[in-house]
Amino acid sequence: MGTLMDQSPNEVTHLIDRLRAGERQALGELFERYRERLRRMVELRMDPRLRTRLDASDVLQEAYLDLAGDLDAYRTDPKLPPLLWMRLHVGRRLGMLHRRHLGAQLRDAGLEISLYREALPQASSAALAAMLLGRHTSPTQAAERAERLLRIQEALNTLDPIDREVLALKHFEELSRAETAEVLGISPEAAAKRYFRALKRLKEVLASMPGGWEGI
């Protein structure tokens, strides 16, 4: 049968139809299909202070229970595609864990982008920089990697928060243009323009730094 990631679009559509019919096994299968994308979402948005207490698997496990509890309501009124529905619950669960563990130490919510009209944790420039640079570094390259990481983070900090968010949604969470637009509450055309503008700006800033874009 192959893995879920090997399934054809027709097979995925069949899974979604089963989910919307209320079949709980389909929920588990679709969640596994999207697990890695949802994990990247958590890794991008988890506050670094939580990483010694939780990992992405903890968040996903709790979010899955939330999804199972919401399945009947979703089946009755599926306003979102399944991936975005799952993503919404994962984001809510991550926000709850932030509040539970950090409380008053949380960032000002006004600095966060409102997704689905709720303030979910936004992707940090540090997490984006780490994913852009990758994680395959030998001990002898550690100092050089740290320098590059700082340069990328500084470049990302020059972008508007919503442009950083577009990069996170499209480049790392692998949302489509339409999905990105729905998450941010903007048109698909505006989402596409912001994505390409953000990439262009990021390359320009990095090119102006010592070593340039090629050094990354």
Side-chain angles (χ1 to χ4, degrees):
M1 293 293 291
T3 66
L4 283 169
M5 295 305 290
D6 294 329
Q7 289 179 334
S8 71
N10 286 340
E11 290 172 315
V12 174
T13 299
H14 180 58
L15 263 180
I16 291 172
D17 288 342
R18 288 168 52 201
L19 174 73
R20 287 176 170 162
E23 187 177 326
R24 293 188 177 274
Q25 183 178 347
L27 172 63
E29 292 178 22
L30 270 177
F31 191 80
E32 285 303 311
R33 175 180 177 81
Y34 296 134
R35 177 178 289 275
E36 287 309 308
R37 293 168 71 180
L38 295 170
R39 174 182 290 276
R40 282 196 295 274
M41 174 201 173
V42 173
E43 290 174 345
L44 278 167
R45 299 166 195 282
M46 183 182 288
D47 191 293
R49 294 167 292 182
L50 279 185
R51 296 184 188 279
T52 58
R53 312 179 202 179
L54 299 169
D55 64 26
S57 296
D58 299 318
V59 181
L60 294 179
Q61 182 176 350
E62 292 194 30
Y64 182 78
L65 297 176
D66 297 335
L67 287 162
D70 190 46
L71 180 57
D72 289 340
Y74 178 71
R75 180 169 60 93
T76 302
D77 187 19
K79 291 186 173 71
L80 297 170
L83 173 59
L84 296 189
W85 172 62
M86 292 179 182
R87 185 184 179 280
L88 173 61
H89 275 285
V90 172
R92 283 175 173 169
R93 176 53 57 178
L94 182 59
M96 290 173 64
L97 290 168
H98 277 175
R99 291 188 292 274
R100 180 189 305 168
H101 289 278
L102 299 176
Q105 301 176 55
L106 277 172
R107 302 178 277 204
D108 180 356
L111 298 177
E112 297 180 348
I113 293 173
S114 180
L115 308 182
Y116 299 113
R117 300 195 177 120
E118 296 181 25
L120 302 187
Q122 70 175 1
S124 71
S125 57
L128 279 169
M131 287 198 176
L132 278 169
L133 189 55
R135 298 181 180 181
H136 304 292
T137 307
S138 68
T140 57
Q141 296 173 315
E144 182 180 356
R145 184 184 189 281
E147 181 181 351
R148 290 179 176 181
L149 192 65
L150 181 60
R151 286 169 50 202
I152 298 173
Q153 188 174 345
E154 289 174 347
L156 287 165
N157 283 338
T158 69
L159 303 178
D160 290 340
I162 193 171
D163 289 340
R164 286 198 299 272
E165 190 71 9
V166 168
L167 282 177
L169 293 170
K170 283 191 59 64
H171 203 68
F172 296 109
E173 294 191 37
E174 299 178 5
L175 298 189
S176 68
R177 183 174 71 170
E179 289 167 339
T180 298
E182 185 162 2
V183 167
L184 295 175
I186 60 180
S187 70
E189 294 74 18
K193 287 179 181 177
R194 281 194 172 275
Y195 176 64
F196 289 115
R197 184 177 68 187
L199 277 181
K200 182 174 182 290
R201 174 62 179 162
L202 182 61
K203 289 183 178 183
E204 288 173 350
V205 173
L206 287 170
S208 69
M209 294 180 174
W213 173 261
E214 304 303 328
I216 305 302

